Amino acid sequence: MPEITLAHLSDLHLPHDRLRIPARALLNKRMTSQISWRCKRRFLHVRAVADAVAADIRAMAPDVVALTGDLTNLGLPAECRQAAEWLHTRLPGPICAIPGNHDMLVRESWSETLGQWAPWMAADADGFPYLRHIGPLALIGVNSARPMAWFSAAGRIGARQAARLADILHEAGRQGRFRVVMIHHPPITGLVSHRKSLLDAGLFAAAIARTGAEMVLHGHAHISCMSTLPGPEGLVPVLGIASASMHARRQERAAAWHRIAVTATTRGYRAEIHRRIVTSGHVVRELPCWSIETERAARVRF
């Protein structure tokens, strides 16, 4: 099998200052997010930084791009339209995306908001988790975003999604595929506070423990990190990535993306993980890579 590469980025939080926002659209939970944006977040999330990440991804020409949520700040129809245009013009295809909590702050018409991302995501709210095959990769998009109470940025996947996730993972594992699960909220306890956490992380962890996966990708925490979850035959790596638009000095907080190169071995797969971060002057620098190796129970021809 030739090398196949996956680009992982998250939490674009594309600036919306130039968009026309009806006042009535802020008479709900969006109000607090807008205040946070105006007072703090607009100085941290910079469009030029996100564009630098996108340009670097294009230059590396990955086989597929995985985007783990929070493309917007308020989940407004105009923001979703802006994000769709950004995806179409800035990133190479194919793209697999999932929503983040900021994309679903309040209940809104799917067709007017997240439905605009249908080319890169599930067709509707009931279409999660969805599955995409890219060569030997099986990319599974889980939706942890739910409209929550004021001041909560938590998420849930629900029992139906968890059961469906286990079924998809089982079948993809039987086929011998390299299974990559995408979720916005970290499925790991302690990475974020309770009000930002995945409230039913146990359901997610149980699916992974029962059926296994080769890798889990998440965003939300705005920090680049690696954790693990127990699988049936060993630990499953869980990779978080910082916000792709974040202007920060600390290396783990700086805007970044993962270039994940997957190749077959005699017993399974080897994945080399390259983290590329945006430094001062929007220059992209690569950190030393690390690798993981996994076994597969079955093999398929591609």
Side-chain angles (χ1 to χ4, degrees):
M1 185 194 84
E3 179 181 274
I4 188 166
T5 58
L6 165 68
H8 173 218
L9 72 161
S10 194
D11 296 80
L12 293 171
H13 292 288
L14 292 173
H16 61 282
D17 296 319
R18 296 184 180 181
L19 300 178
R20 185 176 178 274
I21 302 176
R24 65 180 182 278
L26 300 179
L27 299 179
N28 48 44
K29 184 184 175 182
R30 287 181 176 134
M31 182 186 301
T32 56
S33 288
Q34 177 67 352
I35 292 172
S36 174
W37 173 261
R38 295 300 301 171
C39 294
K40 178 182 178 182
R41 294 169 68 90
R42 66 190 177 106
F43 303 109
L44 301 177
H45 297 286
V46 180
R47 172 68 180 259
V49 173
D51 288 345
V53 168
D56 193 51
I57 292 175
R58 290 198 307 273
M60 292 289 169
D63 295 291
V64 62
V65 176
L67 179 50
T68 49
D70 274 1
L71 285 70
T72 72
N73 295 290
L74 308 176
L76 291 163
E79 284 185 288
C80 292
R81 185 162 51 251
Q82 173 183 252
E85 180 181 356
W86 194 91
L87 292 178
H88 181 69
T89 60
R90 299 289 179 175
L91 290 179
I95 301 169
C96 296
I98 55 173
N101 58 294
H102 278 267
D103 304 320
M104 296 185 70
L105 282 178
V106 300
R107 298 192 182 280
E108 188 71 89
S109 165
W110 183 272
S111 62
E112 293 180 6
T113 55
L114 299 181
Q116 299 183 65
W117 304 344
W120 311 287
M121 200 171 64
D124 54 50
D126 295 325
F128 294 93
Y130 71 87
L131 171 66
R132 297 287 186 274
H133 289 148
I134 308 293
L137 303 185
L139 276 80
I140 303 115
V142 176
N143 182 16
S144 62
R146 296 286 187 277
M148 291 286 178
W150 288 55
F151 307 111
S152 173
R156 294 183 186 275
I157 62 169
R160 185 196 65 82
Q161 266 203 102
R164 176 63 178 151
L165 172 62
D167 290 343
I168 292 174
L169 287 170
H170 173 75
E171 177 59 21
R174 189 190 66 79
Q175 295 175 355
R177 295 184 182 273
F178 188 94
R179 299 162 295 174
V180 180
V181 183
M182 303 160 53
I183 186 169
H184 180 65
H185 291 78
I188 303 292
T189 303
L191 280 183
V192 293
S193 64
H194 179 73
R195 77 173 191 88
K196 297 181 179 181
S197 67
L198 183 64
L199 298 178
D200 53 1
L203 287 176
F204 184 90
I208 299 296
R210 186 163 65 252
T211 60
E214 279 58 60
M215 187 174 291
V216 176
L217 305 177
H218 72 82
H220 190 54
H222 292 188
I223 189 169
S224 296
C225 57
M226 180 173 174
S227 310
T228 58
L229 282 173
E233 298 178 359
L235 296 176
V236 175
V238 179
L239 272 63
I241 194 69
S243 163
S245 62
M246 179 67 76
H247 176 69
R249 293 183 178 181
R250 290 170 54 190
Q251 181 171 286
E252 67 273 19
R253 291 282 183 183
W257 68 281
H258 281 138
R259 179 182 180 273
I260 303 167
V262 179
T263 54
T265 66
T266 56
R267 301 180 63 184
Y269 293 102
R270 174 183 174 88
E272 288 191 351
I273 302 160
H274 306 256
R275 182 174 299 157
R276 297 178 64 82
I277 66 172
V278 179
T279 61
S280 59
H282 302 161
V283 175
V284 179
R285 176 169 63 91
E286 183 167 296
L287 302 181
C289 74
W290 71 97
S291 64
I292 60 171
E293 294 202 15
T294 64
E295 295 186 10
R296 62 183 186 274
R299 298 182 183 180
V300 290
R301 294 183 179 272
F302 298 97

